[in-house]
Amino acid sequence: MIFTTRFAPSPTGHLHIGHAFSAWTAWQAASEKGGRFILRLEDIDTTRCKPEFDQVIFDDLIWLGLDWELPVRRQSEHFDDYARVLERLIALRVVYRCFKTRAEILDDIARAPHGAGEVYRGPVDPMSADEEAERVAKGESYAWRLSLDRCRDVLGPRFAAMQFIEDERGLLPADPDPLGDVILARKDVGTSYHIAVVHDDALQGMTHIIRGEDLFELTPLHVLLQTLLDLPTPIYRHHRLLTDENGQRFAKRNLSVTLKSMREAGMSAEDVRTKWGF
Ligand code: GLU
């Protein structure tokens, strides 16, 4: 199998030095292995993602010295694919409609029998099929949540046996329990990052997912989706996050660390890598 990895930014703003580190780490791993490097634009949030950022991302990455396979997949062009994934999860009966407001969710969490902690683990009083049909007919908005209880029922012993290889930490159990019942889609946006990323990583043949440590806690959920959808689980590597002199993570709103501003200030990619140590 050819080593295949990717960089998957969301074009909601200009890339910053943290993105450069992530893209560089993935690209370099692919180069070292003589593998494939794929760039994917994760732009399902059509209100926050702007097409004008796409070209800036390409220019930034070329300036960094990266190259990638064409065409670049834009997730906003593939909502049908993600809708089909949601349909499969509905057919498996592992997702449920959640009509609750934030306040109602907090109330459910407070009333949960075994001290559910901070996360949502489903309705305390499940609604009847009639009420659900009525609220759908009325056009009320809702979210599709993944029911961990239903996943346990459907997967049986496979649920507790889920695991994944983390490049630096070895074989780890994939326990999605700390996340509770996460939102996988909304009535108006029929998908989410989780559905799109898991679908596309499989479609594009990823053997290795190289991404920031901040996404580590979501990996068990992605392994669960792969298990439900009969998709292979790639090897994961969660790299350290670059921080500024105050130990803060870089943010898109901090314009001084965008790659665009650095290249416009005349810095070379090598200057940037030396300065930030990668
Ligand atoms: N699109 C995600 C982001 O911008 C990254 C997804 C991933 O690497 O899994 O943070």
Side-chain angles (χ1 to χ4, degrees):
M1 224 189 303
I2 301 176
F3 183 104
T4 305
T5 193
R6 44 60 164 191
F7 175 56
S10 296
T12 55
H14 294 158
L15 298 185
H16 56 61
I17 188 66
H19 294 113
F21 178 58
S22 203
W24 178 264
T25 305
W27 178 83
Q28 204 190 28
S31 309
E32 271 170 14
K33 303 271 192 231
R36 301 170 61 205
F37 176 72
I38 286 170
L39 173 64
R40 182 170 72 224
L41 293 175
E42 300 210 322
D43 57 351
I44 52 171
D45 184 346
T46 49
T47 53
R48 289 178 60 228
C49 295
K50 302 268 178 290
E52 63 257 34
F53 293 127
D54 297 2
Q55 190 57 47
V56 184
I57 290 175
F58 300 152
D59 293 345
D60 286 344
L61 297 179
I62 289 169
W63 170 77
L64 259 186
L66 273 49
D67 52 3
W68 53 88
E69 294 182 10
L70 294 174
V72 170
R73 182 173 171 91
R74 280 185 173 77
Q75 290 188 328
S76 59
E77 293 168 2
H78 301 281
F79 281 109
D80 289 356
D81 286 0
Y82 313 132
R84 276 194 292 275
V85 174
L86 180 62
E87 275 162 26
R88 279 187 64 190
L89 296 171
I90 294 170
L92 281 171
R93 302 166 62 89
V94 290
V95 288
Y96 61 93
R97 285 191 184 89
C98 175
F99 294 86
K100 290 184 189 273
T101 61
R102 204 176 145 62
E104 288 167 335
I105 294 278
L106 291 175
D107 187 50
D108 259 1
I109 291 175
R111 288 167 56 220
H114 308 296
E118 295 292 295
V119 300
Y120 189 56
R121 299 189 182 279
V124 174
D125 311 305
M127 108 177 76
S128 68
D130 284 351
E131 187 192 339
E132 179 173 352
E134 205 175 295
R135 295 179 76 162
V136 171
K138 275 202 254 162
E140 286 185 33
S141 65
Y142 55 83
W144 284 105
R145 284 183 185 267
L146 183 67
S147 162
L148 288 185
D149 284 346
R150 285 289 306 144
C151 290
R152 274 189 198 89
D153 289 348
V154 166
L155 293 175
R158 291 169 68 204
F159 186 92
M162 290 188 304
Q163 49 190 22
F164 64 102
I165 298 172
E166 216 288 341
D167 234 7
E168 278 153 27
R169 302 173 225 206
L171 189 61
L172 299 178
D175 178 12
D177 207 54
L179 296 167
D181 288 2
V182 299
I183 293 177
L184 288 189
R186 292 181 190 277
K187 184 187 159 204
D188 47 344
V189 184
T191 188
S192 59
Y193 158 63
H194 306 301
I195 286 185
V197 82
V198 164
H199 175 273
D200 284 1
D201 283 340
L203 179 80
Q204 297 187 295
M206 297 304 155
T207 60
H208 288 70
I209 306 297
I210 299 173
R211 60 184 182 187
E213 177 69 34
D214 52 333
L215 297 171
F216 177 73
E217 61 177 10
L218 296 178
T219 299
L221 169 64
H222 297 173
V223 174
L224 169 57
L225 290 173
Q226 289 152 3
T227 308
L228 290 166
L229 297 164
D230 293 320
L231 300 174
T233 292
I235 293 173
Y236 284 85
R237 190 202 308 173
H238 300 89
H239 60 70
R240 69 189 168 95
L241 299 178
L242 292 190
T243 51
D244 64 16
E245 54 282 358
N246 302 318
Q248 297 296 311
R249 281 172 51 188
F250 296 105
K252 282 179 179 167
R253 60 183 178 279
N254 182 351
L255 297 183
S256 64
V257 291
T258 67
L259 302 186
K260 184 169 185 285
S261 70
M262 290 181 207
R263 58 185 164 85
E264 285 173 358
M267 285 177 86
S268 71
E270 214 180 319
D271 295 337
V272 168
R273 294 209 320 276
T274 310
K275 181 166 173 193
W276 274 279
F278 63 93

